[in-house]
Amino acid sequence: MTLARAEIVVDLAAIRHNVTTLAERVAPALMMTVVKADGYGHGMVEVARAAREAGAPWLGVATPDEALALRAAGDVGRLLCWLSLPGEAVAPLLEADVDVTAYDVVELAAVVDAARATGRTARLQLKVDTGLHRGGSTVADWPALVAAARAAEVDGLVRVTGVWSHFAAAEDPDHPANDAQEQVFRAALAAAEEAGLAPEVRHLANSAAALLRSSARFDLVRCGIASYGIDPAPDVPDGPDATPEGPKPGLVPAMTVQAPLVLVKALAPGDGVSYGHTWTADRATTVGLVPLGYGDGVPRHAAAGVGSDAAAEVLVDGRRRPVRGRVCMDQLMVDLDGDTPPAGTAAVLFGPGGQGEPTALDWARACGTIDYEIVTRVGARPRRRYVDGAAPVASVVASGATTGATSASTVGGPA
Ligand SMILES: *Cc1c(COP(=O)(O)O)cnc(C)c1O
């Protein structure tokens, strides 16, 4: 058995389960699975493939590079891209059959130029800013943008396939911005139709809105975080009224982050741990070295006193162990409270949560951030390993320690 280094285990069956579950929940609206930022740290190409297998008709990415990488990996389905840079080449996207987005007449002109240069009719989507005040056309500029897009359509250079926008606070269903944004969106749609546009897909909802706001589903919803099994609205309590359709859907977190303990050692009272000795043993105890650090995307805020009062925890040998002392670039220490599990014992930072391990949400709360950031940032360095429904939470991930892996069916994954 080879030594498993620190690794991210991604359960593709969980991804497929989540995509299917969400698609059923939002029907007749269609699903776009958002796979930007390397699939929120889960691996863009692998997640995209799993989403397509589960029937996702659309994929969404931020950058042209991401869109072209998906095409290079063989993806041929509908694919929307929404964040080009000024001057960035549009022609390769048209040649790759990607739906592109314009936020203003300058971006529209670049799309029109690329359509002329390639001889292709661009599939174009127009984004209106309904109140997030990030990307998209201002409401003031919207009439000019839809008129220019319609003119390009009449010339055969573009076909406006979509009109869309993005929420600012959908995870808080009582936030007044939700109603306001939906109203502005409806008015923008009416203006687009008056200008002669007949978009195939009108879309506004991210994961939270897809689940919590059925009026905002329109033709298509863009689900990122929920596709990875993470509740987009953790502060909305579950229950019969949690969503318009009842309880929250049973999503399964797809990512587990784990590593073998490298070393276990005894400490005497008063021994300081890690840089700066920000934590000092108040008793005789044992600590374990986990080979993951901020170079792997583990937040330095995971230690108590840095980002929050409570330390993040790691599951070792059936118990949650607090991170102690500063998180270093490549390693962190956990307090084993006198226990002496052998080197090689699995240390599970987070996973689906069904076997006592913390979740990405637990880590987010300890680090003063959101679980989106936890899973995405941790995606960079540790090796990813893909499984298909098998239990990612093992008690042992390295050779040399006792075995006793837990069974595949206990993770709570899709049947
Ligand atoms: C990232 C992103 C999404 C997905 O949001 P989730 O909250 O992860 O579902 C949807 N639309 C746009 C424009 C995005 O940038």
Side-chain angles (χ1 to χ4, degrees):
M1 185 178 172
T2 52
L3 187 75
R5 295 205 67 84
E7 63 177 3
I8 293 176
V9 184
V10 177
D11 180 359
L12 295 174
I15 302 270
R16 291 196 304 271
H17 166 82
N18 297 329
V19 170
T20 306
T21 301
L22 292 164
E24 284 168 1
R25 186 61 70 117
V26 304
L30 300 176
M31 265 286 288
M32 175 187 286
T33 305
V34 179
V35 297
K36 65 192 180 185
D38 209 6
Y40 289 43
H42 295 67
M44 179 177 72
V45 168
E46 291 81 0
V47 169
R49 207 169 282 144
R52 294 295 198 198
E53 283 165 12
W58 283 84
L59 296 179
V61 293
T63 71
D65 284 352
E66 291 170 332
L68 295 174
L70 281 175
R71 291 306 193 222
D75 185 81
V76 295
R78 294 302 289 276
L79 170 58
L80 176 66
C81 166
W82 56 69
L83 192 60
S84 292
L85 301 179
E88 194 166 13
V90 180
L93 296 171
L94 304 191
E95 281 163 343
D97 252 338
V98 175
D99 286 57
V100 297
T101 300
Y103 293 171
D104 63 12
V105 290
V106 176
E107 290 192 339
L108 172 63
V111 173
V112 166
D113 286 349
R116 283 212 181 86
T118 59
R120 289 183 168 246
T121 302
R123 283 209 292 247
L124 172 69
Q125 303 212 0
L126 303 175
K127 182 179 184 190
V128 58
D129 178 3
T130 53
L132 177 60
H133 298 128
R134 197 177 70 180
S137 166
T138 63
V139 168
D141 291 342
W142 185 244
L145 180 59
V146 293
R150 177 60 190 156
E153 209 173 51
V154 169
D155 289 345
L157 294 166
V158 311
R159 186 158 63 78
V160 175
T161 55
V163 169
W164 64 279
S165 189
H166 194 42
F167 276 120
E171 68 286 352
D172 176 2
D174 299 326
H175 198 291
N178 297 321
D179 282 343
Q181 285 195 263
E182 194 179 310
Q183 263 183 27
V184 173
F185 187 61
R186 289 181 189 280
L189 284 175
E193 278 157 28
E194 261 164 51
L197 300 177
E200 167 193 345
V201 285
R202 302 158 298 168
H203 49 111
L204 175 59
N206 56 3
S207 293
L211 293 177
L212 303 178
R213 196 177 171 86
S214 48
S215 63
R217 287 176 186 156
F218 296 92
D219 305 308
L220 180 71
V221 300
R222 303 184 306 272
C223 287
I225 200 74
S227 308
Y228 303 96
I230 289 177
D231 183 349
D235 294 333
V236 172
D238 205 354
D241 302 325
T243 82
E245 284 80 21
K248 294 181 176 184
L251 302 175
V252 180
M255 182 188 286
T256 295
V257 178
Q258 61 188 13
L261 284 183
V262 171
L263 184 72
V264 174
K265 63 175 58 168
L267 295 187
D271 286 346
V273 171
S274 193
Y275 294 127
H277 282 179
T278 56
W279 184 80
T280 300
D282 55 0
R283 66 202 190 291
T285 189
T286 49
V287 289
L289 188 165
V290 179
L292 282 164
Y294 62 77
D296 305 293
V298 176
R300 193 161 171 275
H301 286 63
V306 181
S308 71
D309 297 338
E313 294 175 325
V314 175
L315 182 73
V316 179
D317 205 15
R319 278 179 58 191
R320 291 195 187 191
R321 319 286 184 162
V323 174
R324 290 302 184 211
R326 286 202 174 129
V327 173
C328 308
M329 189 177 291
D330 313 291
Q331 40 199 313
L332 59 83
M333 303 301 289
V334 293
D335 187 352
L336 295 171
D337 196 28
D339 294 342
T340 54
T345 300
V348 183
L349 274 66
F350 59 85
Q355 295 175 42
E357 77 279 17
T359 61
L361 180 61
D362 292 329
W363 268 73
R365 288 188 165 143
C367 299
T369 182
I370 54 174
D371 36 17
Y372 288 67
E373 185 183 353
I374 295 292
V375 294
T376 301
R377 64 185 290 163
V378 90
R381 186 174 174 192
R383 190 181 66 188
R384 271 193 296 259
R385 180 161 63 83
Y386 291 91
V387 298
D388 204 330
V393 177
S395 63
V396 172
V397 294
S399 60
T402 44
T403 53
T406 43
S407 86
S409 56
T410 54
V411 186

